């Protein structure tokens, strides 16, 4: 669209807005009817470890949303010279899972407990056995049941529990809604009914009946909506909260709030069966849309859904890029200490590209980027760790490759279950996340880890906020009975440029050598957890 056409789209409200609350950034993306980005805004934030729980401050949640929106709005006005007062459709997404609990007055009962907390092991194990369905520690139902097991005082007062995306949607619309993809990380979904699994709901209520709570589980969960459904409208109070300039008009339709897994699927056109995607950030997860059920329960594999309700096997590792980013920050400090103020993107690119010069297995080096516990490898806590032997080939190239390999180490262990034990067919995987802004390197490492072709689209850097905007656009602009799969294939990605990279045999062999070293070295990581306390002293 040309400049004048975009002006008309903005003034006429022929746009869609997606706002995603990621683990390190809140991002707002406004798109036109051709699904191209008109403007974007962002807000950097970090989780906090408070009273033993990873959390985000409630004030930061609201402030971050307002700042991301303000920055996007100002870009619209600066670039196109028109005020942003109308938007055709809006959608909110956020990190999946976690626990936000409220009483009947809307008071938040405990600080937001994020997906990153590995404090629900007993609850997750008992519920998995009860349901014969894997309930990961991150899931909202595991957090709720663990609070019951701990006899926390807030539990009898609960009137509503939800995820971060569900909370924002409720705050701005008054509707306690959840997209089916995000809902599948709260409680298991029945594909036949496209709702929470009724038998398992009954099993849970029977399990806790003796505790005498005044509520039943279904009563405190958000209502499930599928992609394309309208899940509320922006209230007057919601419009004032989102746009502090108070220019945004209320009454805008909102699509169901989704999790970052669902927006990742949409952003990479990975909602059809036999397709998959990998999302790389603070955590990393791969999702494969299944043709058939898995043969048994695997604690390493989450079973969630696409935003349209199809079953998905998700391998979710809690730790990915945090340690890599910390090392890159160290190199930046060194550069500045030498009097060279390097551009962060240039520094990032130079260091990542060194990995292409490395030995295939990383030269015998070993790293664990565990900032928190890792469910796939059974670690309740994490300690970032780098190890080498005197015989290891210690150079910058091997150092960088090892940290890239380590970022995908836990993911590799989970994916091996799907490909080597369940023989799940995967036609290809699309990757997205900031890592892929540097060409070739990240794509090559992921292809080695998964041993399948990896594609990256030009929209890879847009990520989940853009995917959420697409879901909002689908709700507003789909043809009657048009499926999300067809909408993505025939409208959004019809002319998309996807660069596919097949796995290199040498890289695959090198990663296999590395992952054996990674598995054998887990005892070292456990020892670090046991003997190196959170504050770094015994």
């Amino acid at each position: 669209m040309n400049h004048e056409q975009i002006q008309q789209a903005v003034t006429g409200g022929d746009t869609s807005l997606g706002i995603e609350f990621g683990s390190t950034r809140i991002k707002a993306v406004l798109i036109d009817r051709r699904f191209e980005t008109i403007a974007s805004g962002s807000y950097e934030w970090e989780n906090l470890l408070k009273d033993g729980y990873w959390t985000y401050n409630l004030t930061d949640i609201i402030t971050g949303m307002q700042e991301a929106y303000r920055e996007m709005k100002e870009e619209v006005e600066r670039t196109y010279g028109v005020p942003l007062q109308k938007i055709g459709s809006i959608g909110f997404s956020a990190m999946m899972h976690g626990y936000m609990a409220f009483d009947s007055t809307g008071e938040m009962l405990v600080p937001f407990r994020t997906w990153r907390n590995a404090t629900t092991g007993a609850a997750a194990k008992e519920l998995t056995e009860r349901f014969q369905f894997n309930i990961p520690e991150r899931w909202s139902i595991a957090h709720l049941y663990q609070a019951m097991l701990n006899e926390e005082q807030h539990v009898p007062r609960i009137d509503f529990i939800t995820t971060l995306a569900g909370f924002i949607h409720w705050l701005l619309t008054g509707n306690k809604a959840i997209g089916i993809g995000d809902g599948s990380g709260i409680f298991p979904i029945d594909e036949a009914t496209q709702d929470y699994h009724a038998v398992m709901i009954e099993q849970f209520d029977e399990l806790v009946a003796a505790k005498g709570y005044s509520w039943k589980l279904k009563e405190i969960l958000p209502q499930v909506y599928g992609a394309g459904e309208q899940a509320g409208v922006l209230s007057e109070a919601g419009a004032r909260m989102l746009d502090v300039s108070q220019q945004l008009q209320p009454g805008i339709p909102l699509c169901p709030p989704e999790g970052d897994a669902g927006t990742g699927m949409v952003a990479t056109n990975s909602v059809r069966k036999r397709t998959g995607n990998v999302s790389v950030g603070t955590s990393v997860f791969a999702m494969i849309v299944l043709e058939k059920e898995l043969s048994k329960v695997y604690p390493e594999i989450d079973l969630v859904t696409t935003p349209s309700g199809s079953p998905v096997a998700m391998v979710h590792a809690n730790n990915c890029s945090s340690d890599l980013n910390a090392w890159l920050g160290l190199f930046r400090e060194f550069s500045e200490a030498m009097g060279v103020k390097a551009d962060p993107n240039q520094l990032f690119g130079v260091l990542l590209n060194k990995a292409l010069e490395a030995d295939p297995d990383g030269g015998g080096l070993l790293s664990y980027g565990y900032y928190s516990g890792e469910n796939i490898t059974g670690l309740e806590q994490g300690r970032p760790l780098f190890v080498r032997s005197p015989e290891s080939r210690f150079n910058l190239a091997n150092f960088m490759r090892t940290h890239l390999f380590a970022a995908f180490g836990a993911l590799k262990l989970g994916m091996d279950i799907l490909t080597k034990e369940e023989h799940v067919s995967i036609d290809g995987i699309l990757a997205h996340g900031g890592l892929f802004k540097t060409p070739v390197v990240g794509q090559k490492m992921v292809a080695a880890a998964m041993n399948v072709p990896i594609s990256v689209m030009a929209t890879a850097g847009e990520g989940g906020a853009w995917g959420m905007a697409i879901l909002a656009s689908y709700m507003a602009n789909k043809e009657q009975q048009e499926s999300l799969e067809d909408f993505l294939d025939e409208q959004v990605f019809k002319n998309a440029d996807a660069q596919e990279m097949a796995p290199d045999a040498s890289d695959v062999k090198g990663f296999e050598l590395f992952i054996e070293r990674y598995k054998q070295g887990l005892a070292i990581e456990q020892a670090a957890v046991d003997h190196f306390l959170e504050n770094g002293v015994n």
Side-chain angles (χ1 to χ4, degrees):
M1 297 176 72
N2 61 35
H3 191 274
E4 184 178 346
Q5 289 173 322
I6 293 177
Q7 281 183 321
Q8 292 173 353
V10 171
T11 56
D14 195 13
T15 56
S16 295
L17 172 66
I19 298 181
E20 180 155 288
F21 294 72
S23 56
T24 59
R25 182 175 63 164
I26 301 170
K27 186 172 183 180
V29 171
L30 187 72
I31 64 172
D32 60 26
R33 282 288 296 273
R34 295 184 182 178
F35 319 110
E36 295 176 353
T37 298
I38 295 172
S40 64
S42 65
Y43 177 82
E44 303 294 325
W45 69 341
E46 281 290 345
N47 54 186
L48 308 167
L49 186 60
K50 185 177 180 181
D51 298 328
Y53 291 99
W54 290 102
T55 188
Y56 290 88
N57 186 285
L58 186 59
T59 301
D60 282 347
I61 293 172
I62 305 304
T63 301
M65 174 185 69
Q66 292 170 336
E67 284 298 301
Y69 181 87
R70 180 193 59 78
E71 193 174 282
M72 177 276 298
K73 177 178 181 291
E74 289 180 354
E75 184 180 341
V76 170
E77 294 170 350
R78 184 172 60 250
T79 305
Y80 300 102
V82 293
L84 183 61
Q85 299 174 323
K86 299 179 182 179
I87 298 174
S89 56
I90 299 176
F92 293 95
S93 57
M95 300 165 281
M96 285 180 69
H97 317 301
Y99 182 71
M100 301 188 82
F102 304 87
D103 68 12
S104 59
T105 70
E107 179 186 349
M108 194 170 177
L109 295 172
V110 291
F112 171 36
R113 297 173 181 176
T114 78
W115 57 271
R116 197 167 198 171
N117 289 289
T119 56
T120 63
K125 182 179 180 181
E126 187 173 341
L127 292 177
T128 296
E129 292 174 355
R130 182 85 173 190
F131 298 155
Q132 285 301 293
F133 185 99
N134 183 36
I135 302 296
E137 294 178 359
R138 299 178 303 280
W139 282 28
S140 305
I141 191 61
H143 282 275
L144 173 63
Y145 189 50
Q146 189 66 52
M148 294 178 180
L149 295 179
N150 295 345
E151 298 184 348
E152 296 187 35
Q153 294 181 354
H154 77 275
V155 175
R157 296 174 55 197
I158 292 175
D159 183 70
F160 178 48
I161 68 167
T162 191
T163 64
L164 179 55
F167 166 66
I168 295 296
H169 185 94
W170 175 44
L171 198 63
L172 299 188
T173 68
N175 192 22
K176 296 175 179 178
I178 203 73
I180 193 168
D182 205 12
S184 69
I186 295 175
F187 194 86
I189 294 290
D190 184 343
E191 185 182 6
T193 63
Q194 298 286 283
D195 201 353
Y196 302 118
H197 201 290
V199 172
M200 295 182 194
I201 291 276
E202 291 178 7
Q203 289 175 326
F204 184 87
D205 286 336
E206 291 170 1
L207 178 64
V208 304
K211 296 183 180 293
Y213 300 124
S214 62
W215 48 262
K216 298 289 187 183
L217 181 59
K218 188 71 180 286
E219 297 169 356
I220 65 171
L221 297 179
Q223 181 180 342
V224 173
Y225 288 78
E229 294 185 273
Q230 183 174 320
V233 297
L234 186 67
S235 67
E236 289 189 14
R240 290 195 300 270
M241 180 177 291
L242 179 58
D243 181 10
V244 294
S245 74
Q246 299 188 18
Q247 291 183 303
L248 184 63
Q249 298 177 5
I252 299 168
L254 267 73
C255 68
E258 266 299 347
D260 49 0
T263 58
M265 295 180 213
V266 171
T268 55
N269 192 20
S270 304
V271 297
R272 287 198 186 276
K273 295 183 186 299
R274 292 174 64 102
T275 65
N277 81 91
V278 59
S279 176
V280 176
T282 302
S283 66
V284 59
F285 50 82
M287 293 168 290
I288 310 300
V289 187
L290 298 174
E291 291 182 293
K292 60 182 181 179
E293 292 184 358
L294 301 182
S295 65
K296 61 181 181 180
V297 175
Y298 295 96
E300 302 89 349
I301 309 295
D302 298 11
L303 291 176
V304 292
T305 78
T306 67
S308 52
S310 296
V312 173
M314 179 166 75
V315 180
H316 185 290
N318 287 349
N319 300 277
C320 182
S321 64
S322 293
D323 195 40
L324 179 63
N325 290 338
W327 283 107
L328 292 170
L330 188 70
F331 285 119
R332 183 173 64 251
E333 282 188 46
F334 172 74
S335 175
E336 291 173 355
M338 292 290 291
V340 180
K341 192 171 180 60
D343 175 77
N345 291 327
Q346 181 187 20
L347 182 70
F348 198 81
V350 168
L351 288 170
L352 287 184
N353 274 290
K354 288 298 292 184
L356 300 180
E357 304 170 16
D359 296 323
D361 74 329
L365 309 179
L366 182 59
S367 172
Y368 297 96
Y370 288 8
Y371 268 55
S372 64
E374 187 56 72
N375 65 297
I376 291 178
T377 52
L379 273 292
E380 293 185 1
Q381 297 181 44
R383 302 290 185 273
L385 186 68
F386 174 68
V387 185
R388 63 189 177 98
S389 74
E391 291 77 27
S392 299
R393 293 173 295 282
F394 185 42
N395 55 47
L396 183 59
N398 283 336
F399 183 84
M400 292 308 302
R401 177 171 284 231
T402 294
H403 280 86
L404 282 166
F405 275 3
F408 303 112
L411 179 75
K412 164 70 171 174
L413 299 179
M415 283 299 298
D416 280 352
I417 293 172
L418 292 178
T419 57
K420 296 180 180 180
E421 296 185 33
E422 288 288 330
H423 306 291
V424 170
S425 297
I426 306 171
D427 292 335
I429 291 178
L430 287 123
H432 72 114
L435 177 67
F436 302 106
K437 288 184 177 180
T438 300
V440 178
V441 185
Q443 193 174 0
K444 189 176 178 68
M445 298 301 113
V446 177
M450 296 191 174
N451 197 20
V452 295
I454 302 293
S455 298
V456 174
M457 292 183 178
T459 55
E462 297 287 5
W466 182 79
M468 193 66 236
I470 296 298
L471 284 170
S473 181
Y474 172 62
M475 175 197 68
N477 301 311
K478 69 180 187 302
E479 301 292 335
Q480 190 173 11
Q481 304 302 318
E482 184 179 23
S483 69
L484 177 61
E485 292 85 344
D486 288 344
F487 181 80
L488 295 176
D489 279 346
E490 297 169 13
Q491 296 196 47
V492 181
F493 293 101
K494 187 175 182 179
N495 299 311
D497 179 22
Q499 302 296 321
E500 183 177 272
M501 179 178 291
D504 179 271
S506 176
D507 288 337
V508 172
K509 184 178 180 181
F511 204 109
E512 291 292 342
L513 290 172
F514 170 82
I515 205 66
E516 287 304 314
R517 187 160 65 246
Y518 184 93
K519 288 188 285 188
Q520 292 172 11
L522 285 169
I524 307 171
E525 174 68 16
Q526 184 64 62
V529 171
D530 293 340
H531 300 287
F532 194 74
L533 302 186
E534 290 283 1
N535 60 4
V537 296
N538 286 312

